[in-house]
Amino acid sequence: MSSWFDNVQLGFDMATSLTIVGAAVTWIIREKKQAEAEKVRGINQQVRSTSLKKVQDVLSEMEDKFSLLINETQTYENMIDNRVRTVDEQLDFSRLNLAIKRDSNFLVKAIDRLQAIREELGQFYELIQVRRYSLIPLLDAIEEGDKYIGVFQQNIDEVGDAYNKVTSGNVSLLKELEIIISRLNEEFGDQLIDVTDDVKKELFQKISADDKYMQPIKSIIFDEDYFYWVQRFVPSGKEDDYVEKVIRPSNIEDTDLCSEVIVHFILALIGKNHELISQVLRTASVSVMKARIECKDILISLSAISHKLVMDNNGASLNNVIIKYDSKEYFGRDITIR
C-alpha cells in the first residue's frame, strides 16, 4: 500500500517540479525577450535623441541663414513692390517707371540687391545640401524615416528650383534691356513722348534697320533663358512653336513667327520703354518671394520633424504636422515673412 502511495507521491512531485521548471523557463524566456525589447527601445530612443539634436542643430543654422536672406529679399521686394499697384486688375508700373527714369542709379541698386539675394540663397541651398549627409542617415535609422527623408529631400529640391528661377536670367536680361533702352532714349528721347502712329512707324523703320539696335534685340529674343519674359511678345498659342522653331534650331524654321515677335518687341520698346525694365524687376520680385517661401518650407519641415521625434507616440502624420505648422496659427507659411 505504501509503495503505491509513494509512487503517486513521486509522480506528483515530478509533475510539480516540471511545472515549476516550465514556469521558470517561461519566466526566463519572457524576461529575456523583455530585456531585448527594452534594449531595442533604448537604442531607438537613443537614436531618436541623437536625431533630434542633429535636426535642431541644423534648424538653428538654417534659421540664421534664413534671417540673412530675409534682410536682402525685403530690401528688394519693398524697393519694387511698393511702387507697383493693381488698377482694374492690371499692374500699374507708372511709379516704378518714374523711379527708373528719375534715378539713374535705381536699376544699378536693384541689380545689386538681386545679386546679393542670389548669393544668400545660394549659401542657404549649399548649406542644407551639405547638412543632408549627416541628417539623412540618422533619419533613415528611425521608424518611418523614409517619410521624413522624402519630405526633407523634396524641400531641398524646391529650394534648388527656386534658386535657378531667381538666377535664370533676370540680372543679365535687365542689363541687356538697359543698354537698348538707354541707347534709344539718347538718340530718340524727345520722340518717345506721346508717340503718334506716324512717329512710331518712322522710329520702327530706323530701329529695325540699325544693327546697333537689332543685334542686342536679337540677343534677347533668341535667348531661351529669357523666354519666360519674351513670351509676352509671342502670339498666344505659339509659345511652343517659338521655342522649337525659332530659338532652338541653328537655322530659324518659322521666319514669319520670328518677324512677328521682333515687331512686337520693337513696338514695345518705343511705346513702353522703361516699363519693360519694370516688368522684369517685378517678375524678379515674384521669383524672390517664391524662393523665400521655399526656404521657409525647409524650416517648417525641420520643425515638424523635430516635433515627431519628440512626440514619437503621437498619431499625427508628419504631413499633417507640416500642414498645421503652415497655418497662420503657427508659422504662417504664406502670410508672414519670417
Side-chain angles (χ1 to χ4, degrees):
M1 185 70 178
S2 60
S3 176
W4 175 84
F5 180 80
D6 289 341
N7 288 337
V8 171
Q9 183 65 39
L10 178 62
F12 179 78
D13 290 343
M14 290 180 64
T16 302
S17 298
L18 288 173
T19 301
I20 293 172
V21 170
V25 170
T26 301
W27 179 83
I28 291 171
I29 293 173
R30 185 171 63 247
E31 286 297 308
K32 184 178 180 181
K33 287 182 178 179
Q34 186 174 345
E36 289 174 350
E38 289 292 339
K39 183 178 179 181
V40 170
R41 278 196 294 271
I43 292 172
N44 286 341
Q45 189 58 46
Q46 185 177 2
V47 171
R48 279 184 171 272
S49 297
T50 303
S51 299
L52 176 61
K53 184 179 185 308
K54 185 61 183 179
V55 169
Q56 290 180 332
D57 286 345
V58 172
L59 177 57
S60 179
E61 274 189 292
M62 301 316 298
E63 286 170 343
D64 291 340
K65 277 295 178 185
F66 185 66
S67 182
L68 294 174
L69 176 64
I70 289 299
N71 292 338
E72 295 295 345
T73 60
Q74 278 303 99
T75 301
Y76 180 81
E77 289 180 75
N78 290 337
M79 182 181 185
I80 304 304
D81 296 346
N82 289 346
R83 291 181 169 91
V84 179
R85 297 175 295 179
T86 301
V87 179
D88 296 330
E89 299 183 355
Q90 297 292 323
L91 292 178
D92 177 8
F93 293 103
S94 57
R95 294 169 64 191
L96 185 54
N97 297 342
L98 192 60
I100 296 170
K101 290 178 184 178
R102 287 181 174 176
D103 184 355
S104 59
N105 289 321
F106 185 89
L107 184 58
V108 174
K109 289 184 284 188
I111 289 174
D112 286 345
R113 293 274 65 78
L114 278 175
Q115 290 175 327
I117 291 168
R118 175 182 181 178
E119 182 176 344
E120 290 296 341
L121 186 58
Q123 289 181 13
F124 185 98
Y125 179 62
E126 286 301 318
L127 179 59
I128 197 63
Q129 278 280 29
V130 170
R131 291 295 175 263
R132 69 191 175 96
Y133 285 99
S134 54
L135 268 178
I136 287 178
L138 287 172
L139 296 176
D140 189 42
I142 63 177
E143 187 178 354
E144 295 189 333
D146 57 328
K147 294 181 180 179
Y148 297 3
I149 293 170
V151 170
F152 181 58
Q153 190 61 57
Q154 180 182 345
N155 288 147
I156 293 176
D157 293 342
E158 288 171 352
V159 170
D161 290 341
Y163 173 77
N164 290 333
K165 288 177 182 177
V166 168
T167 61
S168 63
N170 288 318
V171 171
S172 53
L173 175 56
L174 285 168
K175 290 179 178 179
E176 291 195 47
L177 271 177
E178 198 272 336
I179 290 172
I180 300 174
I181 290 171
S182 294
R183 194 172 292 170
L184 275 173
N185 289 330
E186 286 173 7
E187 186 170 352
F188 306 113
D190 292 340
Q191 300 179 59
L192 295 178
I193 300 174
D194 298 326
V195 180
T196 64
D197 288 342
D198 289 339
V199 172
K200 189 179 292 186
K201 183 178 180 180
E202 181 183 347
L203 289 173
F204 178 86
Q205 291 173 343
K206 289 180 180 179
I207 293 169
S208 60
D210 193 335
D211 273 351
K212 74 180 178 185
Y213 293 113
M214 291 308 299
Q215 287 301 324
I217 286 173
K218 289 177 181 178
S219 175
I220 291 174
I221 66 172
F222 293 156
D223 193 324
E224 191 167 353
D225 285 342
Y226 301 158
F227 180 70
Y228 73 93
W229 180 76
V230 171
Q231 63 181 326
R232 68 189 62 209
F233 306 109
V234 179
S236 179
K238 293 285 187 178
E239 293 84 1
D240 290 342
D241 286 345
Y242 185 75
V243 172
E244 298 297 333
K245 297 180 180 180
V246 176
I247 293 180
R248 289 179 179 170
S250 54
N251 294 311
I252 297 172
E253 297 175 3
D254 192 333
T255 54
D256 289 340
L257 179 57
C258 177
S259 297
E260 192 171 357
V261 172
I262 290 175
V263 169
H264 291 166
F265 186 75
I266 293 175
L267 291 176
L269 283 172
I270 297 169
K272 294 187 175 181
N273 205 257
H274 288 98
E275 186 166 313
L276 299 186
I277 292 177
S278 294
Q279 291 172 358
V280 179
L281 289 172
R282 168 65 177 176
T283 300
S285 182
V286 172
S287 297
V288 165
M289 177 195 68
K290 290 179 179 178
R292 169 169 52 78
I293 292 175
E294 295 297 351
C295 291
K296 189 174 181 178
D297 280 344
I298 289 280
L299 304 186
I300 292 174
S301 293
L302 288 174
S303 297
I305 290 172
S306 294
H307 170 87
K308 288 295 293 178
L309 290 172
V310 172
M311 304 292 290
D312 57 344
N313 293 323
N314 191 330
S317 68
L318 177 62
N319 187 57
N320 286 340
V321 175
I322 291 173
I323 291 172
K324 180 174 73 172
Y325 282 0
D326 281 346
S327 68
K328 64 180 181 180
E329 288 79 13
Y330 286 83
F331 299 121
R333 178 186 185 270
D334 301 314
I335 301 172
T336 61
I337 294 170
R338 294 185 184 273

